[in-house]
Amino acid sequence: MKILSTLGWKDYELFDSGNGMRFERFGPYKTVRPDPQAIWQPKQFASWQQADVQYIRTVKDQGQWKFKRAIPEKWKMSWKDVSFWARLTSFKHTGVFPEQSLQWEWMENVIANRVKQSHKNKIATLTPSPRNDNPKVLNLFAYTGIASIVAAQAGAAVTHVDSSKPSISWARENQMISGLKDKPIRWILDDCLKFVEREIRRGATYDGIIMDPPVYGHGANGQIWKFSEHFPKLMADVAKLLSKTPLFVIVNAYAISSSSLMLENVLRDYLPTGSTEVGELCLEETIGKRLLSTGMFVRWSK
């Protein structure tokens, strides 16, 4: 079992957590928002009064932001050389999942190494470079697309699939603000299961596949997604899309009543022999140094 823990970076940090909440900084703005796992006591609750905005839960998963200071509708954040827009959404998120930064870094290195090795092989064999030599990466349930942008910058040709038109628009804005408009990213508004089925019929293959499936959701045409029911079927289909020289499969899961071992067992049902890492995605507090688990993951590499 592996813990991927990030202390944050220049544009993000988790200051403190507790009482079912977390106190964070996204770029220049400090936020307080719910986290049901943080049932412990905050270390420095008095400092939380410095927050610019707090998300107040009203009923079930609904709520609203209470502003203490003026905040723009969106603001720029960066990770390494990649930039993206943060926004306060009605469902408490900002469009940025900072715990994923270690996944971005791992994926970036794997893709860059494949590109570098490919170039060395061409030089050694004096083989002309084909037009589409980039490793192909498929990002399913891709949301605001930071992983897509990172993969494209590292040298991949990316297919980004999400069933939400606003999310795809947001992801395209992130591509533009990163200065990567000429990078090969294909934007697909579709139900992920249906898209994968069509790609199988078309004979498409990918070297890397990323998935962030929700517990429950709707496709572009109202299709119902239930993780426990549909994830094994999706994995069976995804395995058919892997190229003959695959690089990785990454699955991140949030708010699922199960363990990361479940993810590992499902992947092992369908993927060829390779290296598998499984565990939790965590954020480390800058004040108390405690770890806050945000989700679970499994990643497979050949």
Side-chain angles (χ1 to χ4, degrees), residues 31-104:
T31 68
V32 173
R33 54 187 181 141
D35 193 310
Q37 290 198 83
I39 61 174
W40 47 83
Q41 294 297 310
K43 290 292 185 180
Q44 292 184 12
F45 188 66
S47 66
W48 292 40
Q49 302 308 309
Q50 301 170 13
D52 299 296
V53 62
Q54 179 174 349
Y55 187 88
I56 305 298
R57 181 93 60 192
T58 53
V59 292
K60 293 185 178 180
D61 293 331
Q62 298 180 7
Q64 60 186 11
W65 293 95
K66 181 180 179 181
F67 293 86
K68 297 182 180 179
R69 299 171 189 84
I71 289 180
E73 183 270 331
K74 63 180 181 180
W75 66 94
K76 182 180 177 181
M77 289 180 61
S78 296
W79 176 81
K80 292 189 175 182
D81 296 328
V82 171
S83 296
F84 35 87
W85 293 109
R87 289 182 172 94
L88 299 178
T89 69
S90 60
F91 42 94
K92 86 175 181 178
H93 297 305
T94 64
V96 180
F97 291 84
E99 64 274 9
Q100 288 293 331
S101 62
L102 293 180
Q103 297 283 46
W104 303 335

Side-chain angles (χ1 to χ4, degrees), residues 63-301:
Q64 60 186 11
W65 293 95
K66 181 180 179 181
F67 293 86
K68 297 182 180 179
R69 299 171 189 84
I71 289 180
E73 183 270 331
K74 63 180 181 180
W75 66 94
K76 182 180 177 181
M77 289 180 61
S78 296
W79 176 81
K80 292 189 175 182
D81 296 328
V82 171
S83 296
F84 35 87
W85 293 109
R87 289 182 172 94
L88 299 178
T89 69
S90 60
F91 42 94
K92 86 175 181 178
H93 297 305
T94 64
V96 180
F97 291 84
E99 64 274 9
Q100 288 293 331
S101 62
L102 293 180
Q103 297 283 46
W104 303 335
E105 188 166 35
W106 182 86
M107 176 184 63
E108 178 184 52
N109 290 334
V110 172
I111 293 170
N113 287 338
R114 168 64 66 86
V115 171
K116 187 182 299 182
Q117 187 60 50
S118 178
H119 289 169
K120 285 182 179 179
N121 291 342
K122 290 190 187 71
I123 293 172
T125 60
L126 300 178
T127 303
S129 178
R131 291 180 59 186
N132 297 312
D133 191 44
N134 311 70
K136 294 176 64 179
V137 170
L138 174 63
N139 190 4
L140 299 172
F141 310 97
Y143 193 36
T144 55
I146 300 176
S148 296
I149 305 301
V150 171
Q153 187 188 54
V158 180
T159 298
H160 173 112
V161 185
D162 199 277
S163 63
S164 166
K165 189 173 182 179
S167 292
I168 288 184
S169 296
W170 191 341
R172 296 188 72 149
E173 290 178 28
N174 288 340
Q175 180 189 22
M176 298 298 289
I177 196 176
S178 290
L180 300 175
K181 65 179 181 179
D182 295 327
K183 292 292 184 179
I185 303 179
R186 189 165 57 126
W187 307 100
I188 306 293
L189 176 66
D190 205 348
D191 173 78
C192 289
L193 272 171
K194 297 299 182 184
F195 176 78
V196 167
E197 290 172 355
R198 285 196 295 275
E199 287 289 85
I200 291 171
R201 292 195 294 270
R202 288 189 282 251
T205 60
Y206 294 89
D207 303 299
I209 298 175
I210 312 161
M211 288 181 280
D212 282 40
V215 178
Y216 181 86
H218 292 88
N221 296 311
Q223 303 94 331
I224 300 296
W225 164 271
K226 295 181 180 179
F227 186 93
S228 59
E229 179 180 341
H230 295 118
F231 179 63
K233 167 66 165 62
L234 178 61
M235 273 308 312
D237 286 345
V238 159
K240 299 173 185 176
L241 290 179
L242 284 176
S243 70
K244 294 180 179 179
T245 55
L247 287 172
F248 60 80
V249 174
I250 299 173
V251 181
N252 303 295
Y254 294 85
I256 291 174
S257 300
S258 187
S259 75
S260 54
L261 295 176
M262 173 273 296
L263 294 177
E264 181 180 29
N265 291 339
V266 175
L267 259 69
R268 286 184 170 177
D269 278 345
Y270 302 107
L271 297 183
T273 302
S275 173
T276 303
E277 293 180 298
V278 60
E280 294 190 42
L281 298 164
C282 297
L283 296 168
E284 183 178 343
E285 298 171 342
T286 55
I287 293 176
K289 302 300 181 184
R290 295 172 298 192
L291 297 183
L292 173 65
S293 177
T294 60
M296 55 190 182
F297 79 94
V298 62
R299 61 189 186 197
W300 170 95
S301 57

